[in-house]
Amino acid sequence: MAEIKNFKKVLIANRGEIAVRVQRSCRELGIDTVAVHSDADSGSLHVKVADESVCIGPAKPKLSYLNIPSILSAAEITGADAVHPGYGFLSENDEFARMCHNWNITFIGPSVDCLEKMGDKIESKKIAKQAGVPTLEPIYISQLNNDEIKAQVKKLGYPILIKASAGGGGRGMRRIDRDEDLLTAIMTLQEEAKAAFGDGTLFIEKYITEPRHIEVQILADKHGNVIHLGERDCSIQRRFQKIIEESPSPVLSEETREDICNAAVRLAKFVNYDSVGTVEFLYDQEQKKFYFMEMNTRIQVEHPVTEQRTGVDLISEQIRVAQGHKLTLKQSDIKFDGHVIEFRICAEDPETQLPCAGTISHYHRPAGLGIRVDDFIYSGYTVLPYYDSMISKIIVKAPNRDQALIRSCRALGETVVSGIKTNLTLHTKILNHPDFKSNNFSTSFLSKKI
Ligand code: ADP
Ligand code: ADP
Ligand code: MG
């Protein structure tokens, strides 16, 4: 039986909007917060609104937000009971979680065992299969010679996708369409994965053409209780990274929705999952079949979509279960309301679609009925080149999808970010595209239609 440890002070090992978001839940739970920041981030909002703050190193993430000794020292000095890792950075790092526990600091996330098992795309695929969750049959190439790889890929048929087992954030993936490109691509991706993730292990799976990305939000405690909070459709992506997410998915029948949500719960129960997490699937729209892709063992960027639809504060729940409390919510308590869409606003050049830093001369955020904005920027804030380019998330709710689209246009139209380049016009273009409006799209929408 897990003991209860109520936190007095939580250190948030992150920056940007998610650090601000975690502070909001802490505040409502009566927990003090410690912000950590790099030299470059001393003027950031997450530092200004925290109860305490500690500088943990120079601007480069490796030296600050990924600097485990520095973060643990900050927790020790400030007497924090727990660390919330946010997303990205150290959120899925089992070594970090293990060290937190060794220092008697609670890591607000799943057990080290879950992080280890589900953080690896190959291992988690094997587990999903054991749990009876449909997966794409992979080719594990590490034990094969070149001829064997070619023979197995031939059986699978092109297009295929080569993936790094340790990959994430849309990186470490390559689509291949022809035999001639196969071996060179494997070699280069292996080197890239080694450099980026410290692990060159690759596998191959069938590339599903024109799929939807559907994921299921899971909430679990340390007492064996697992519920789901419905799905999110994250098919509007660029370079394998999400930029618009919505719920409910407009392509699922009620029957498939139930199947996919139950599959996610089954998997979470199978691995004794004990925090918030997301099970990601690919949905083949023609075959009407779904396949397990990976599990994200952390809170996700798009969690507000689910919060707005269900009214559940996912981060408060995540903190409560980390303290050892039982879930107070049962599956039947989760009620879904309306249609919600989230837009990730990024500081980027519309021409190249690459991140673009600079000082915001004026910022005006949208408001009004059905609008939520999770951000950390303000007029006069300088967007830094060292970190992720996402500066704000606009989350729009309305009774149904058509009304949510109208309200989204209104909200994006109200938004002003001057002085820097952003992807606001890209979002407007997507919103006004007939295929997006009529729900006729897949993960390749952006590369093909815009
Ligand atoms: P979500 O599934 O929550 O949308 P993303 O995959 O977009 O999450 O990743 C969330 C954040 O974490 C992004 O800023 C992304 O760049 C970063 N990220 C995720 N995984 C990795 C990784 N393995 N290495 C580096 N950055 C990552
Ligand atoms: P990451 O860790 O970067 O989030 P994922 O495995 O979740 O990696 O894949 C990211 C995106 O890549 C998916 O949302 C999907 O659009 C695309 N993708 C992944 N696997 C496949 C596949 N087998 N076929 C087609 N698209 C895929
Ligand atoms: Mg993913």
Side-chain angles (χ1 to χ4, degrees), residues 177-278:
D177 289 88
R178 317 179 310 168
D179 220 24
E180 303 85 288
D181 301 332
L182 180 64
L183 296 176
T184 340
I186 290 176
M187 266 176 3
T188 37
L189 194 61
Q190 227 152 26
E191 288 313 310
E192 279 174 31
K194 248 186 239 162
F197 317 113
D199 177 358
T201 314
L202 305 180
F203 66 97
I204 292 174
E205 65 188 20
K206 179 85 189 154
Y207 181 89
I208 307 285
T209 40
E210 312 290 330
R212 300 282 274 236
H213 170 120
I214 314 266
E215 57 184 37
V216 179
Q217 178 68 55
I218 290 295
L219 174 56
D221 65 18
K222 295 181 194 294
H223 306 267
N225 302 302
V226 183
I227 60 170
H228 71 79
L229 289 95
E231 84 285 8
R232 296 181 289 258
D233 188 324
C234 315
S235 305
I236 301 295
Q237 305 184 344
R238 191 189 41 200
R239 297 188 291 263
F240 302 123
Q241 272 194 292
K242 304 156 187 167
I243 69 164
I244 296 178
E245 303 95 350
E246 63 182 299
S247 184
S249 167
V251 284
L252 295 187
S253 65
E254 274 316 314
E255 198 187 344
T256 311
R257 175 170 293 116
E258 205 176 312
D259 284 351
I260 204 167
C261 290
N262 289 341
V265 170
R266 195 157 68 239
L267 177 58
K269 282 197 171 149
F270 191 78
V271 295
N272 292 319
Y273 199 74
D274 58 354
S275 182
V276 294
T278 300

Side-chain angles (χ1 to χ4, degrees), residues 70-338:
S70 197
I71 292 170
L72 287 176
S73 307
E76 182 79 5
I77 293 164
T78 53
D81 312 298
V83 169
H84 194 297
Y87 54 71
F89 294 128
L90 296 169
S91 59
E92 294 180 277
N93 186 315
D94 51 282
E95 195 48 42
F96 177 59
R98 197 176 293 109
M99 287 177 78
C100 286
H101 295 312
N102 289 345
W103 281 49
N104 205 18
I105 295 164
T106 307
F107 174 83
I108 302 178
S111 66
V112 173
D113 182 55
C114 284
L115 281 170
E116 271 175 355
K117 283 186 186 150
M118 303 314 277
D120 181 295
K121 287 194 208 288
I122 290 183
E123 192 58 31
S124 62
K125 226 183 224 297
K126 290 180 181 166
I127 293 171
K129 203 176 164 187
Q130 286 167 19
V133 174
T135 60
L136 290 170
E137 206 49 61
I139 304 172
Y140 300 119
I141 61 178
S142 57
Q143 273 119 33
L144 304 177
N145 65 35
N146 287 349
D147 289 339
E148 288 167 335
I149 295 175
K150 279 196 164 176
Q152 293 220 20
V153 168
K154 195 167 181 187
K155 258 203 267 165
L156 200 64
Y158 287 98
I160 55 139
L161 196 65
I162 316 174
K163 283 191 183 183
S165 187
R171 294 179 316 146
M173 258 185 290
R174 189 99 11 113
R175 172 182 167 158
I176 304 294
D177 289 88
R178 317 179 310 168
D179 220 24
E180 303 85 288
D181 301 332
L182 180 64
L183 296 176
T184 340
I186 290 176
M187 266 176 3
T188 37
L189 194 61
Q190 227 152 26
E191 288 313 310
E192 279 174 31
K194 248 186 239 162
F197 317 113
D199 177 358
T201 314
L202 305 180
F203 66 97
I204 292 174
E205 65 188 20
K206 179 85 189 154
Y207 181 89
I208 307 285
T209 40
E210 312 290 330
R212 300 282 274 236
H213 170 120
I214 314 266
E215 57 184 37
V216 179
Q217 178 68 55
I218 290 295
L219 174 56
D221 65 18
K222 295 181 194 294
H223 306 267
N225 302 302
V226 183
I227 60 170
H228 71 79
L229 289 95
E231 84 285 8
R232 296 181 289 258
D233 188 324
C234 315
S235 305
I236 301 295
Q237 305 184 344
R238 191 189 41 200
R239 297 188 291 263
F240 302 123
Q241 272 194 292
K242 304 156 187 167
I243 69 164
I244 296 178
E245 303 95 350
E246 63 182 299
S247 184
S249 167
V251 284
L252 295 187
S253 65
E254 274 316 314
E255 198 187 344
T256 311
R257 175 170 293 116
E258 205 176 312
D259 284 351
I260 204 167
C261 290
N262 289 341
V265 170
R266 195 157 68 239
L267 177 58
K269 282 197 171 149
F270 191 78
V271 295
N272 292 319
Y273 199 74
D274 58 354
S275 182
V276 294
T278 300
V279 185
E280 296 191 330
F281 297 92
L282 277 177
Y283 179 64
D284 186 327
Q285 304 189 71
E286 259 172 38
Q287 306 284 326
K288 303 209 181 313
K289 283 192 177 147
F290 58 84
Y291 304 96
F292 168 79
M293 199 159 34
E294 66 162 346
M295 181 162 192
N296 289 151
T297 51
R298 54 175 164 87
I299 194 77
Q300 277 188 298
V301 173
E302 58 274 25
H303 75 275
V305 171
T306 299
E307 292 188 329
Q308 295 308 101
R309 249 195 107 210
T310 60
V312 175
D313 180 330
L314 286 169
I315 293 185
S316 289
E317 293 298 327
Q318 183 188 25
I319 295 171
R320 286 189 67 261
V321 296
Q323 290 176 326
H325 293 287
K326 276 189 187 170
L327 284 183
T328 48
L329 294 161
K330 296 186 298 293
Q331 191 62 59
S332 56
D333 295 328
I334 306 300
K335 304 277 184 254
F336 299 97
D337 177 47

